[in-house]
Amino acid sequence: MNLRTRLAIAGGSVVVGALVLVSVVLYPAVEANLRGQIDSSLVVAVGQAPAVAMAIKAKYRMSNAEPDFPAVPLGIGSTQLQIVPDPVRIGPSTQFVDLTARDVAVANGTATAYFRDAVYNGVGYRVYTAQFPGSPGVLVRTAIPESDPVPTLRELAWLLAGSTVAAGGLAALASRLAARRVLRPVGRLTETVELIRTTGDLAIPIPADSRDEIGRLGSAFAAMTAALDESVGAQRRLVADASHELRTPLTSLTVNLELLAENLADAQAPLLAAEALGQAGELRTLVNDLVDLARYGQPAFHTEDVRLDLVAERVAARAARRAPKIEFELTCAPTLVHGDPDALERAVANLVDNAVKWSPSGGRVRISVKAGILDVTDAGPGIPDSDLEFVFDRFYRSPAARAHPGSGLGLAIVRQVAEAHGGTTEAVPCQSGAILRLVLPVCVEHAEPR
């Protein structure tokens, strides 16, 4: 069952339920209203009893006879009127409804008038018993057959039933037509998503024209496919670049190992083994950089407030131990950022290692931290202006850099970490050396230098 049919059934069911509820309330209300009207007409008929009695007396006066009220009720329209001058015989009656002690009490004025339902000759009556107006001891009873309102109630029942069924059908039809129109954008969105699934082309535009919930859904799908397309493209580029970078050291390592296997007694064997170990180390470094690049592209599992200036001091101290011929100069102000401490330390270490690699023996590496900006300046040959925008790209290595060891991923990891923390990276133009900058959002800024 499709969604349009379910909406049609739901719409029709709601209308039918509402009308059934209205019918359940309306039918008893109409029935009670009709009964109230009958009771009112019975009371009015009692008020007309003196006029009826006078008419009977006048008839007997014209015939010079004593007036004798008939025991059988008189029919006035659908209303039956019975006058009992001396209601003393309590019990069954062949003329009308039986007399009771309560009827006698009403005639004597010791009980109030009342209504009751009774059956006479197989016909149900609504009976009103009261004292004859102005004549204590005289009883008057009016009655109306209970079958009188039945046709009206039957017509009302059929009307309510027919209206409920017809309204339910019309509501279901209208709901289906409305659902077809409302769900048309959903159908187009579904067709587009199915086309993307079939073709695998994430660049297919997703319709998101309206501003309602369906438009928001389309915008969310469009954003999702765009992010997925970018992720897939980045993955393909990474695989292509990694395969290209891995091919050269693997080929060289294979050649050296083959030469070693041909003649282990060769005098060049130690040199070949050393080169093989060096190339294996380069491969290990490249693989580790690839793993870090993928890891830092994901949300951090642990974040906290980090003193960026203290991170820079720790990284500089380690670098000074590894490169004793390089001088380090630090200008760090207390700077608090929020992020993954391991990722931030790796990014700062990559910047410092890059500066150490390009600085000559006896050169100076300057590290500056202030207001969320970390600058690392080396004493190397500098970066051509044409290469500044590519420095932080993955696997990018300028012609001069290809003579130095490295995978071309260190600065790409720096950019990845910066973007994961809402920051940026930049290669700042300068006359001598190179200035690489890492900018991160600051939690608390301290202006006092250390």
Side-chain angles (χ1 to χ4, degrees), residues 297-316:
Q298 302 297 323
F301 292 100
H302 171 71
T303 59
E304 60 184 41
D305 290 342
V306 181
R307 284 281 298 274
L308 188 61
D309 55 303
L310 298 182
V311 172
E313 290 179 0
R314 288 198 302 270
V315 171

Side-chain angles (χ1 to χ4, degrees), residues 188 206-212 214-215 218-219:
R188 292 199 301 267
I206 294 180
D209 302 330
S210 60
R211 296 183 179 179
D212 53 9
I214 298 176
S219 300

Side-chain angles (χ1 to χ4, degrees), residues 267-293:
Q268 298 295 324
L271 179 60
L272 293 175
E275 290 182 357
L277 288 174
Q279 290 156 358
E282 291 182 8
L283 284 175
R284 182 175 62 252
T285 300
L286 179 58
V287 171
N288 290 337
D289 287 343
L290 287 172
V291 171
D292 288 340
L293 190 65

Side-chain angles (χ1 to χ4, degrees), residues 90-402:
I90 301 173
S93 173
T94 58
Q95 287 81 17
F96 197 49
V97 178
D98 300 339
L99 288 174
T100 65
R102 185 176 181 182
D103 295 339
V104 176
V106 170
N108 295 330
T110 58
T112 60
Y114 70 97
F115 293 95
R116 67 169 171 154
D117 295 324
V119 177
Y120 177 70
N121 289 338
V123 178
Y125 285 91
R126 180 69 170 171
V127 180
Y128 178 61
T129 303
Q131 186 185 67
F132 190 89
S135 300
V138 179
L139 185 71
V140 58
R141 296 193 294 186
T142 55
I144 292 180
E146 291 184 340
S147 59
D148 283 0
V150 170
T152 302
L153 293 176
R154 186 182 297 113
E155 292 178 2
L156 177 63
W158 280 108
L159 178 63
L160 291 176
S163 300
T164 300
V165 174
L170 290 176
L173 179 60
S175 298
R176 184 175 179 86
L177 295 176
R180 181 178 182 181
R181 180 178 181 85
V182 171
L183 295 177
R184 190 174 300 156
V186 177
R188 292 199 301 267
L189 179 60
T190 302
E191 293 174 357
T192 304
V193 173
E194 290 177 347
L195 180 61
I196 292 175
R197 183 191 63 182
T198 303
T199 62
D201 184 7
L202 296 173
I204 295 177
I206 294 180
D209 302 330
S210 60
R211 296 183 179 179
D212 53 9
E213 289 78 1
I214 298 176
R216 291 172 55 193
L217 178 62
S219 300
F221 266 107
M224 182 182 66
T225 55
L228 185 59
D229 187 29
E230 182 179 354
S231 176
V232 171
Q235 182 181 15
R236 290 172 179 170
R237 291 192 299 271
L238 178 61
V239 171
D241 294 340
S243 62
H244 174 74
E245 293 294 329
L246 288 170
R247 188 177 297 113
T248 299
L250 280 175
T251 302
S252 179
L253 180 60
T254 302
V255 171
N256 288 335
L257 291 177
E258 288 176 351
L259 292 175
L260 280 173
E262 290 177 359
N263 188 2
L264 296 176
D266 191 345
Q268 298 295 324
L271 179 60
L272 293 175
E275 290 182 357
L277 288 174
Q279 290 156 358
E282 291 182 8
L283 284 175
R284 182 175 62 252
T285 300
L286 179 58
V287 171
N288 290 337
D289 287 343
L290 287 172
V291 171
D292 288 340
L293 190 65
R295 179 167 67 92
Y296 294 138
Q298 302 297 323
F301 292 100
H302 171 71
T303 59
E304 60 184 41
D305 290 342
V306 181
R307 284 281 298 274
L308 188 61
D309 55 303
L310 298 182
V311 172
E313 290 179 0
R314 288 198 302 270
V315 171
R318 288 199 303 268
R321 289 193 294 269
R322 293 196 306 268
K325 296 182 179 181
I326 301 296
E327 180 182 352
F328 289 87
E329 178 182 330
L330 279 76
T331 305
C332 298
T335 302
L336 190 65
V337 298
H338 188 81
D340 184 344
D342 294 334
L344 293 174
E345 188 158 340
R346 177 63 190 275
V348 176
N350 284 2
L351 289 174
V352 174
D353 290 343
N354 181 79
V356 170
K357 180 175 69 174
W358 287 100
S359 296
S361 179
R364 175 179 297 180
V365 173
R366 295 181 176 87
I367 303 174
S368 171
V369 179
K370 183 179 181 180
I373 300 176
L374 183 143
D375 286 340
V376 179
T377 306
D378 61 47
I383 304 173
D385 293 342
S386 59
D387 293 339
L388 288 175
E389 59 178 316
F390 306 110
V391 168
F392 291 94
D393 290 351
R394 287 179 302 190
F395 297 109
Y396 177 77
R397 302 179 71 187
S398 64
R402 293 169 187 167

Side-chain angles (χ1 to χ4, degrees), residues 78-93:
S78 63
T79 304
Q80 301 295 320
L81 175 66
Q82 183 185 34
I83 300 175
V84 183
D86 188 17
V88 295
R89 299 182 60 183
I90 301 173
S93 173

